Amino acid sequence: MSLLRVLGRPMLASMFVAGGLDSVRNPQNVAPAAESVVKPVTDRVAVLPDRTEDAVRLSGAVQVVGGLLLATGRLSRPAALALAVTLVPTTLAAHRFWEEEDPGQRMQQRIHFLKNLSMLGGLLIAADDTGAAPSLLWRSRHAAHDLRRDAHLVRRSVRAGAAPAAAAGRVRAKLSR
């Protein structure tokens, strides 16, 4: 694993571990802001908890686990995707800069919104990062190519061996008469 990955993944994950722990411990701090996003999502996804505080706790737990997995490089691609999924509603709930009246608050919320958007971009890159190992798609394509090449070589060797064997069989047949 490259030094950039070893350093970059924990740096990207740190915000999720810290924020997720806070959401698990104190969901009441963000529940009022999250209500506007949690309600429409829980109406559409039946497996999510109906109470906003429970949904915030669940999102925080996913962020902690996903952050730790991303930081350690274990299952980092699915972890990055899980973190990205939790980041979208978090951003939409907490940083609604377009609703702010105060110009100072609007600017602060816009900065946080763009920061989260940047983190989302980093997570999408991390979700696509194979860690310098070939992806499963690449491996399957090359395995299929290698199989076709091997089959072609076998076919050529069978054909090359069949002609002399047939000639030897004809000679043996003439000699045995």
Side-chain angles (χ1 to χ4, degrees):
M1 184 181 296
S2 77
L3 181 62
L4 292 177
R5 285 184 185 91
V6 169
L7 295 175
R9 284 181 180 161
M11 292 168 118
L12 180 59
S14 65
M15 185 67 178
F16 295 100
V17 174
L21 282 173
D22 188 50
S23 292
V24 169
R25 290 179 183 156
N26 305 307
Q28 67 279 2
N29 292 349
V30 294
E35 183 71 37
S36 64
V37 174
V38 169
K39 183 69 174 142
V41 172
T42 56
D43 288 345
R44 289 185 179 91
V45 182
V47 296
L48 293 177
D50 290 335
R51 285 191 45 223
T52 303
E53 287 188 5
D54 293 340
V56 168
R57 266 197 187 101
L58 177 62
S59 177
V62 169
Q63 287 181 352
V64 170
V65 172
L68 291 173
L69 289 172
L70 180 63
T72 60
R74 305 278 185 230
L75 299 171
S76 57
R77 294 175 74 191
L81 280 176
L83 290 172
V85 167
T86 65
L87 186 60
V88 172
T90 299
T91 302
L92 292 175
H95 305 299
R96 302 169 76 87
F97 68 91
W98 54 91
E99 293 179 351
E100 288 294 332
E101 298 294 327
D102 179 35
Q105 279 295 329
R106 178 182 289 235
M107 188 172 72
Q108 283 298 317
Q109 288 303 323
R110 185 171 172 257
I111 288 169
H112 288 297
F113 182 88
L114 293 174
K115 172 199 53 112
N116 282 14
L117 193 62
S118 299
M119 288 175 23
L120 180 62
L123 289 170
L124 294 177
I125 290 169
D128 189 47
D129 180 29
T130 61
S135 68
L136 291 177
L137 179 62
W138 185 91
R139 290 179 197 178
S140 63
R141 284 181 180 162
H142 283 276
H145 172 48
D146 292 346
L147 283 174
R148 282 192 301 272
R149 188 187 67 230
D150 291 347
H152 178 71
L153 291 174
V154 167
R155 188 171 52 244
R156 282 182 57 194
S157 66
V158 167
R159 285 182 184 162
R170 284 191 300 271
V171 169
R172 193 175 306 148
K174 286 184 183 180
L175 292 176
S176 65
R177 289 190 206 173

